[in-house]
Amino acid sequence: MSELPKNYDPNVVEMKWYQRWLERDAFHADAHSPKPAFSIVIPPPNITGVLTLGHVLNNTIQDILARRARMQGHEVLWLPGMDHAGVATQTAVEKFLLRTEKKRRQEFGREEFLRRVVEWQDKHGGIIIEQLKRLGCSCDWSRQRYTFDPAYVRAVGQVFVDLHDKGLIYRGRRMINWDPSAQTALSDEEVIPTPTKSTLYYVRYELESQPGEFLEVATTRPETIMADVALAVHPDDPRYQKLVGQKVWRPLARETIPVIADTAIDPKFGTGVLKVTPAHDQVDFEIGQRHQLPVIDVLTATAKIDCPAEAELHGLERFAARAKAAEILQERNLLTKTEPHESNVGFSERAGVPIEPRLSEQWFLRYPKTEEALRVVREHLIRFFPAHWEKVYARWLENIRDWCISRQVWWGHRIPAWYHDGETRAQLDSPGAGWTQDADTLDTWFSSWLWAYETMNTETRAKFYPTSVLVTGPDIIFFWVARMIIAGLEFRPGQDASAEANIPFRDVFFTGIIRDQKGRKMSKSLGNSPDPLELMAKYGADGLRFGLMRIAPSGQDIRFEEKQIEEGRNFATKLWNAARFRQAHGPSRAELPAEESLSIYAIELLSRLNETIVAVESAYCEYQFNAVAQRLYDFVWGDYCDWFVEAAKTEIFGANESAKAAALAVMDYVLSAVLRLLHPLMPHLTEELWAVFGFGDGFLDFTKPAIAHEFADKERTNAARVRAREIYTAVDAGRNLRAEARVPSNQKAKFALRSSQPWIAAERETLARLLHAESFEFSAELQPKGEASMIATALGELFLLTEVRDPAAERERLEKEIAKLEKDLAATTAKLASESFIGRAPATVVAEFRQRAQNFATRLEQMRSARDRLG
RNA sequence: GCGCGCUUAGCUCAGUGGUAGAGCGCUUGCUUCACACGCAAGAAGUCACAGGUUCGAACCCUGUAGCGCGCACCA
């Protein structure tokens, strides 16, 4: 056994063990193993991604689950991989090329640009995989997948073809969300409604039949007036009823347009008159359809005005055009007023620019299996943690709309649709000469939704699908979770046709979202996201993991403070030092000694360990990782280090060899349990200590978990526990006396205990040690000489004997204590006197209160007599 | 507008019917034979507010307010 250095160096230890795990292929999943299966597919990070705290949280949880499952005897597959992330990657590489070569993607051309993206990907991509290894993730790296693996690409294409053949995928000219920056269509989910300050312009439209009379319209978008094809009012609006059917002059690109009536108009908004611009607004488009109105498009793909009829606006960028349009209207005396206005504007999730509703030819998916998808969650074939996400999920599915799946970006899965002479075919390979393939690619999520099973082959699928649990952020519940469920149910990759066999996962754990101290989301642009690698360098991967787990309440967002990671590091050091202390006292054997030779402190410790094991177990079942971490922290730091080890020093430094051996054996037994319990959270440190102590052969991942110890003699155990706790509370009381009497910590004090309980005699030495006492008198008829402060304990009356006493201060202290006891006693007595309580409360509760009253009374009497002795 | 969540010590948060808890911070005392990334003690709370249920409510129910999130609307 090598001696542990005084300072724990996580960096060296963590690298060493990760290397060994890899060398021994410890994370490899065997599809033919007879063990029960446990599987997780990683939420694939973007190929351009670098590790964020969100990833750390997410992947630490997955690693904990994977390692715990291995310990429990499961064959574990944790399948890693990456996502090509269409728009995100294309944008990142475009920026890179613009910076390095000053060229845009259009200047390269499609083929050359894609070659450059691959080049970039091979050089800079996948950094995050190495970072996950640094964190200690136990993924089966031999099975790493990429959404651009050839087989995966083919599978995605095949799914398109199948859904097309089923009539679920169709092509249509419809209103979509257009990102003028990335120049692509987006799905509804990729649009972030953002409250935005704008201006409401009141514009006059002159009536054709009554020159000089106007209809006033409130609009935020005067730059689209040229695309107006009608004005609309509510059919029941008395102000405008007689105008319906008349015509007005459109003030820009002057033409006459009709006034129509439609119930979609809200008479209370603005003037109650809406300008109908079917090409640039979803609602307007629908109104246009209802009234067979034409569509006039005045915006280009880059959101510039395309309207030669208004020369001053033609070619202007949309926001410049808005200001210019207002100016022109002003000049023409058609702008009555403007007022500030706030409304939600849709912003592109990726590019962060306002999206433009746009009429365009795109591919859409009519979602299949929505009913089944609702049912499997409602009936808990798939369980959500926390459960309240079920409602969010259900709401989305119940109001589901067709999914726009085509994207006008180059980096993505090419749509397998072919055109020739007005004919369209959906198939993977070209139907032949003269056929041209659709230029568009598929939404990245159209490939991600197959991730749960297309990452597996026939063998792994037979063993590991459906996966056991998915760990992800709630922000992608629609993007990914819901769609994966639909894909599983539709494509049935399972072993039979049942829903149980085809759902992609059984549990879904939604993590919280990590925020900064001000409650803001971590983001690159805000620069408020700490670098996890720096945190690991400072505090170790285990410290980071543990610190984060301890503050990550399930279902709640997480307010991040570096201090909390520091605590994780401190805890690692604490465990390290506890191990060092044990190591200093000879070789270990983690075998529990005979029950009869256990001290009361050992029995209390082992009982607390049992409770901890049970609590940790049930916390895991509910995915309460913060509770797991907190329970283990409290047990190791409080129960083990603060109380047991300090108490056991009596035996460890004592002359009784068998008592010493028993105490050390208990330490070994508990340390061995603690290492196993902590292993999923802090894999490196525990592996190191496990090896150093020689507690077992092989890696902790494959070691049986700690289980609760069954005491043979329950009565003796309970009695011992009561005694140990009475000692501990008496020590607390005695330390309080010391502090009250201002005895410095480094000074030993004289204590005395008046008690008629003879068993205490055997614990005198430990009591003295814990109280840092130079002497500890004990007898039933003890009468302290001189002045002494006293406190009533369950053991008896505990005295602190000192030379210098301040009787006034002591008296004050006693009075305070007496007052509190009187209050407590009065409250308890009153409660016991209340008939409703005695009649209605359970007998055990009543008994508890009786006992409590008794204790208060006894102590009160003791305190009063102490006060009286003071004079 | 609809839905979900949150409101507990200065800060960050646990606590789901029986006398309010932790870590950090603060105050005090300590380099005591594992650990100053530590040890010991202490101060500090109308558990957002108002009703209700109950012998008993931080906890269950109803409502209110504030904050956050999602969906819908958004001329």
Side-chain angles (χ1 to χ4, degrees):
Chain A
M1 180 158 58
S2 60
E3 199 180 313
L4 297 175
K6 181 169 177 179
N7 290 312
Y8 173 56
D9 184 350
N11 290 306
V12 172
V13 170
E14 288 172 353
M15 308 288 189
K16 176 181 82 182
W17 283 107
Y18 202 82
Q19 207 48 47
R20 286 196 195 166
W21 293 326
L22 288 186
E23 278 161 15
R24 301 272 294 275
D25 226 2
F27 308 144
H28 183 76
D30 177 6
H32 301 294
S33 161
K35 295 178 185 175
F38 181 92
S39 52
I40 301 180
V41 288
I42 205 168
N46 293 353
I47 184 94
T48 55
V50 290
L51 198 68
T52 65
L53 275 174
H55 291 121
V56 172
L57 175 68
N58 206 289
N59 289 288
T60 296
I61 290 171
Q62 292 174 67
D63 196 46
I64 288 170
L65 293 171
R67 290 179 185 274
R68 186 173 123 86
R70 285 193 196 94
M71 293 181 77
Q72 288 174 329
H74 288 87
E75 185 64 28
V76 171
L77 168 63
W78 182 10
L79 203 158
M82 283 184 293
D83 196 307
H84 68 283
V87 184
T89 303
Q90 175 159 319
T91 310
V93 178
E94 263 190 288
K95 271 188 195 157
F96 172 78
L97 291 174
L98 192 61
R99 198 177 64 236
T100 53
E101 303 187 33
K102 309 259 182 294
K103 277 167 89 176
R104 297 180 182 280
R105 89 179 131 112
Q106 289 82 357
E107 297 172 63
F108 287 103
R110 184 168 189 145
E111 212 170 302
E112 175 61 13
F113 178 75
L114 286 180
R115 209 184 58 71
R116 296 305 189 96
V117 178
V118 172
E119 200 176 276
W120 186 94
Q121 160 199 301
D122 293 344
K123 204 169 161 194
H124 307 286
I127 295 170
I128 195 164
I129 294 295
E130 291 313 306
Q131 296 177 321
L132 288 173
K133 290 178 182 172
R134 174 67 189 89
L135 186 62
C137 292
S138 60
C139 302
D140 182 353
W141 299 109
S142 72
R143 290 201 160 85
Q144 189 176 328
R145 291 289 181 272
Y146 183 31
T147 49
F148 263 172
D149 287 340
Y152 199 98
V153 171
R154 238 183 137 68
V156 171
Q158 192 57 51
V159 157
F160 180 96
V161 172
D162 287 350
L163 290 170
H164 180 266
D165 292 349
K166 288 176 185 163
L168 292 167
I169 283 180
Y170 62 93
R171 194 164 190 240
R173 191 173 165 75
R174 300 188 17 188
M175 274 311 236
I176 47 89
N177 307 295
W178 182 259
D179 179 337
S181 167
Q183 291 186 48
T184 178
L186 297 176
S187 65
D188 296 338
E189 288 74 20
E190 286 164 290
V191 177
I192 314 295
T194 314
T196 308
K197 286 198 170 74
S198 62
T199 307
L200 203 50
Y201 301 86
Y202 287 77
V203 182
R204 302 198 298 172
Y205 289 60
E206 190 170 25
L207 290 166
E208 188 193 31
S209 58
Q210 294 160 270
E213 292 297 312
F214 296 88
L215 206 46
E216 206 171 283
V217 173
T219 179
T220 54
R221 302 205 62 188
E223 76 277 17
T224 64
I225 286 175
M226 301 82 79
D228 291 353
V229 294
L231 293 189
V233 297
H234 194 278
D236 302 334
D237 193 331
R239 290 174 293 177
Y240 306 116
Q241 256 166 355
K242 59 181 182 295
L243 296 177
V244 173
Q246 295 209 28
K247 292 203 162 183
V248 294
W249 286 103
R250 186 171 61 202
L252 296 172
R254 192 171 155 87
E255 286 276 354
T256 58
I257 54 173
V259 178
I260 59 166
D262 195 288
T263 50
I265 283 73
D266 174 7
K268 289 191 285 294
F269 188 93
T271 60
V273 185
L274 171 74
K275 70 186 206 49
V276 181
T277 320
H280 302 299
D281 185 279
Q282 174 71 37
V283 173
D284 291 17
F285 178 74
E286 284 159 18
I287 294 172
Q289 294 272 289
R290 282 200 286 275
H291 298 268
Q292 282 101 47
L293 296 169
V295 175
I296 305 171
D297 189 340
V298 295
L299 283 173
T300 67
T302 52
K304 288 194 173 112
I305 301 295
D306 178 18
C307 180
E310 282 292 344
E312 284 186 80
L313 296 177
H314 186 62
L316 283 185
E317 184 272 335
R318 54 182 162 162
F319 297 111
R322 181 173 303 170
K324 189 71 194 172
E327 215 175 280
I328 296 170
L329 291 168
Q330 181 82 52
E331 282 164 14
R332 297 182 191 172
N333 196 26
L334 294 171
L335 186 66
T336 41
K337 63 170 175 177
T338 61
E339 57 187 38
H341 181 68
E342 186 170 304
S343 64
N344 275 335
V345 174
F347 277 70
S348 154
E349 190 204 21
R350 281 288 158 212
V353 298
I355 62 105
E356 203 56 64
R358 190 168 195 235
L359 194 60
S360 136
E361 182 99 29
Q362 302 287 345
W363 288 96
F364 296 89
L365 168 69
R366 188 157 50 244
Y367 285 98
K369 298 289 189 291
T370 54
E371 282 302 317
E372 288 91 329
L374 271 168
R375 197 178 329 123
V376 293
V377 171
R378 199 191 312 124
E379 292 173 5
H380 294 157
L381 257 57
I382 297 176
R383 300 187 303 164
F384 281 5
F385 294 87
H388 66 80
W389 291 108
E390 287 173 12
K391 280 194 185 175
V392 178
Y393 169 85
R395 252 173 97 93
W396 183 76
L397 269 174
E398 282 159 3
N399 301 296
I400 200 160
R401 304 213 303 245
D402 290 359
W403 175 11
C404 175
I405 53 172
S406 46
R407 297 289 178 273
Q408 288 67 52
V409 295
W410 291 342
W411 180 246
H413 298 85
R414 192 81 177 262
I415 290 179
W418 305 83
Y419 309 108
H420 180 55
D421 282 348
E423 203 186 327
T424 302
R425 280 196 204 163
Q427 59 186 65
L428 290 184
D429 302 309
S430 172
W435 288 81
T436 52
Q437 188 170 7
D438 195 302
D440 291 352
T441 56
L442 289 160
D443 182 358
T444 300
W445 298 102
F446 192 88
S447 72
S448 318
W449 74 329
L450 312 178
W451 187 252
Y453 68 90
E454 274 308 334
T455 47
M456 299 189 194
N457 58 29
T458 319
E459 283 182 344
T460 44
R461 221 182 276 180
K463 177 80 186 171
F464 294 110
Y465 188 90
T467 64
S468 310
V469 54
L470 178 76
V471 179
T472 189
D475 47 339
I476 53 174
I477 184 170
F478 309 138
F479 281 117
W480 198 45
V481 180
R483 286 169 181 163
M484 271 203 287
I485 293 172
I486 290 172
L489 293 170
E490 174 68 13
F491 304 115
R492 304 194 176 280
Q495 298 304 295
D496 61 60
S498 68
E500 289 91 326
N502 290 292
I503 49 174
F505 27 72
R506 297 200 181 85
D507 288 357
V508 182
F509 176 67
F510 291 103
T511 65
I513 290 169
I514 300 187
R515 299 175 179 281
D516 69 5
Q517 282 107 303
K518 292 177 186 146
R520 301 173 305 182
K521 245 177 160 170
M522 297 285 184
S523 86
K524 253 189 196 167
S525 53
L526 282 172
N528 58 350
S529 178
D531 179 0
L533 288 172
E534 279 175 29
L535 291 174
M536 284 192 268
K538 266 169 98 173
Y539 305 112
D542 288 342
L544 174 61
R545 291 166 62 122
F546 192 87
L548 203 52
M549 283 305 105
R550 208 155 76 93
I551 57 159
S554 70
Q556 233 52 1
D557 286 358
I558 297 142
R559 205 61 71 94
F560 180 82
E561 278 183 87
E562 192 168 325
K563 269 256 168 337
Q564 295 155 332
I565 304 309
E566 200 179 315
E567 283 176 43
R569 187 270 319 260
N570 293 353
F571 179 64
T573 309
K574 185 73 179 177
L575 181 62
W576 181 259
N577 280 303
R580 281 181 63 224
F581 177 73
R582 170 61 193 91
Q583 204 196 24
H585 295 95
S588 294
R589 50 173 183 88
E591 214 173 285
L592 207 54
E595 230 171 76
E596 306 80 63
S597 60
L598 294 176
S599 69
I600 56 174
Y601 313 103
I603 289 170
E604 171 64 6
L605 177 73
L606 292 167
S607 304
R608 294 285 294 153
L609 175 62
N610 286 351
E611 290 168 10
T612 303
I613 289 171
V614 171
V616 163
E617 198 63 32
S618 79
Y620 270 124
C621 289
E622 294 297 316
Y623 296 93
Q624 309 262 3
F625 298 98
N626 60 323
V628 170
Q630 189 60 44
R631 290 298 299 226
L632 293 172
Y633 182 96
D634 290 344
F635 177 75
V636 171
W637 206 303
D639 294 296
Y640 182 75
C641 293
D642 289 345
W643 289 110
F644 178 74
V645 172
E646 293 308 320
K649 281 179 180 173
T650 302
E651 282 125 38
I652 293 166
F653 294 112
N656 182 334
E657 283 305 322
S658 70
K660 177 178 177 178
L664 291 175
V666 168
M667 290 176 76
D668 289 335
Y669 177 85
V670 172
L671 274 176
S672 136
V674 159
L675 292 180
R676 283 175 286 162
L677 285 165
L678 281 171
H679 178 66
L681 294 103
M682 317 181 95
H684 313 87
L685 170 61
T686 50
E687 193 83 270
E688 171 78 1
L689 290 175
W690 188 258
V692 167
F693 276 93
F695 281 145
D697 301 325
F699 296 136
L700 263 172
D701 257 25
F702 303 98
T703 302
K704 284 207 181 344
I707 50 164
H709 170 76
E710 275 279 322
F711 285 99
D713 190 340
K714 301 245 168 21
E715 237 169 85
R716 181 177 172 274
T717 303
N718 288 334
R721 293 196 67 182
V722 169
R723 287 181 176 182
R725 277 186 300 217
E726 283 178 357
I727 297 275
Y728 291 158
T729 41
V731 167
D732 270 336
R735 285 170 174 173
N736 179 260
L737 284 185
R738 282 184 59 115
E740 292 272 351
R742 308 254 162 236
V743 180
S745 303
N746 60 348
Q747 194 179 310
K748 291 204 167 189
K750 290 179 186 168
F751 278 92
L753 179 69
R754 178 161 62 214
S755 172
S756 50
Q757 301 179 61
W759 66 270
I760 297 168
E763 309 303 332
R764 273 177 62 188
E765 201 182 327
T766 302
L767 270 165
R769 172 177 284 275
L770 293 175
L771 285 168
H772 200 49
E774 67 168 307
S775 67
F776 192 92
E777 277 182 75
F778 168 76
S779 87
E781 289 89 26
L782 186 122
Q783 198 54 256
K785 294 187 201 86
E787 283 150 7
S789 47
M790 185 278 265
I791 191 150
T793 75
L795 296 179
E797 292 148 281
L798 182 63
F799 296 90
L800 172 65
L801 315 168
T802 46
E803 304 299 322
V804 265
R805 290 295 317 137
D806 180 350
E810 177 61 9
R811 195 186 170 87
E812 194 186 321
R813 192 183 71 78
L814 288 170
E815 291 289 5
K816 246 165 82 182
E817 196 111 3
I818 287 164
K820 188 176 180 303
L821 280 167
E822 277 170 345
K823 214 179 104 200
D824 290 345
L825 180 60
T828 314
T829 312
K831 189 148 190 175
L832 284 164
S834 127
E835 265 173 53
S836 53
F837 176 69
I838 301 299
R840 308 289 286 276
T844 50
V845 174
V846 175
E848 206 176 291
F849 272 77
R850 286 224 169 86
Q851 183 61 52
R852 201 181 290 168
Q854 187 69 54
N855 289 345
F856 286 145
T858 313
R859 286 181 200 192
L860 194 52
E861 203 179 306
Q862 291 172 348
M863 299 304 278
R864 279 179 179 149
S865 74
R867 179 191 57 191
D868 296 346
R869 273 199 306 277
L870 267 178

